[in-house]
Amino acid sequence: MESKESKACTVAELVAGRWGDHRPGLWCEERTLTHHEVAAGAAARAALLAELLPPVGANIGVLLDNTPEYPLWLSAAALARTAVAGINPTRRGPELARDILHTECRLLITDRTYTPLLQGLELPGVRVLLTDSEEYEALLAPYAGARPDPSRADPRDRLLLYFTSGSTGAPKAALCSQGRLAAAGRSLAGQFGVRADDVHYVCMPMFHGNAVIADWAPALAAGAGVALRRRFSASGFLGDVRRYGAGCPGRRPAPRSPGRTGWPGPHT
């Protein structure tokens, strides 16, 4: 029998499909969220977006390291039918401002790590939300009971705006729809044999399209867990893979141990 995930045409459906799944689903440093908590957090952020953004035509920028807030906002954008522009933190000054304005971001999600990069930039019409602030927690609080509703999402909805390398000029934002991302996730999950009891270790920066398309989306499509590394560390890579029991580090499924059963969780 086909699962709901195998029939899902949008990322919003994949996100909502994890509602009620109380297995651990997202790890980052000392924090663990269940799949259900991720779906609930996405629903709360989607409800907030409905209040902060106009009904159509507005995008959000995400300027963050690989923290839980990144997949939460990707998921929220899918539910809210909003596109996410992954903002590259290696950009500076007018180039950084250009990326934010070029992608028509009305809301920029960031934290105190990156506020120094924004000082002095002219960003007319852009509201900045700091995910590590009391204001942010207060804005989300009224929506704590929200449930994910994927019914309005359409496969044609834009979801990702990810930048090209800019080798022949200023970086341009390539488009990826909900349908394309959901299809890519299902295809790669099938190709690599990703299962619900696997853990994807995502150490590539999530502002990069490959991290979302080839790492996050297959895990979401398969109902697998995701382990995040705030920033890549060559010396910490193997330790993280062992800690999280990752079977798909950086898009390459690792061989399973003989007799391994059940879903893996963080361990030392």
Side-chain angles (χ1 to χ4, degrees):
M1 181 180 295
E2 287 187 311
S3 67
K4 290 185 295 183
E5 288 76 17
S6 67
K7 299 178 182 179
C9 295
T10 65
V11 174
E13 290 175 284
L14 294 174
V15 171
R18 301 271 57 83
W19 181 267
D21 184 346
H22 296 286
R23 298 173 301 137
L26 181 62
W27 294 272
C28 183
E29 298 170 345
E30 302 307 316
R31 188 179 181 189
T32 303
L33 297 176
T34 66
H35 288 289
H36 177 84
E37 288 173 325
V38 173
R45 287 158 179 77
L48 176 61
L49 283 177
E51 292 293 327
L52 297 182
L53 295 182
V56 293
N59 306 317
I60 66 172
V62 178
L63 176 60
L64 291 170
D65 291 328
N66 286 8
T67 67
E69 290 291 340
Y70 218 119
L72 284 169
W73 278 103
L74 286 171
S75 301
L79 293 171
R81 304 183 68 191
T82 299
V84 172
I87 306 300
N88 186 339
T90 66
R91 304 272 282 172
R92 295 291 188 273
E95 292 183 341
L96 177 61
R98 179 259 175 201
D99 290 351
I100 297 168
L101 298 175
H102 172 70
T103 48
E104 299 179 340
C105 294
R106 295 287 295 274
L107 194 64
L108 180 64
I109 312 298
T110 188
D111 59 24
R112 290 188 178 94
T113 301
Y114 289 117
T115 50
L117 299 186
L118 303 177
Q119 291 179 2
L121 298 188
E122 294 187 9
L123 298 172
V126 180
R127 180 172 180 176
V128 177
L129 292 187
L130 300 180
T131 62
D132 51 359
S133 69
E134 292 182 0
E135 177 195 14
Y136 180 73
E137 295 298 328
L139 284 171
L140 282 175
Y143 308 106
R147 295 187 59 148
D149 177 11
S151 62
R152 295 189 307 110
D154 187 286
R156 296 167 294 182
D157 291 340
R158 289 187 302 178
L159 180 56
L160 296 182
L161 302 170
Y162 52 96
F163 286 99
T164 61
S165 63
S167 56
T168 58
K172 300 173 181 62
L175 307 180
C176 183
S177 68
Q178 289 218 30
R180 181 183 176 191
L181 185 57
R186 292 195 308 270
S187 176
L188 288 170
Q191 179 180 347
F192 289 107
V194 183
R195 306 190 316 191
D197 63 353
D198 281 320
V199 174
H200 263 222
Y201 175 58
V202 182
C203 53
M204 181 184 294
M206 292 192 75
F207 67 79
H208 197 295
N210 277 352
V212 177
I213 296 170
D215 282 342
W216 179 70
L220 181 64
V226 169
L228 299 177
R229 175 83 185 196
R230 183 179 291 267
R231 296 183 186 181
F232 176 71
S233 167
S235 62
F237 177 84
L238 185 56
D240 280 350
V241 169
R242 289 170 172 165
R243 176 187 182 191
Y244 297 117
C248 300
R251 296 180 288 126
R252 292 187 58 191
R256 290 181 176 274
S257 300
R260 174 179 156 190
T261 60
W263 48 263
H267 62 276
T268 56

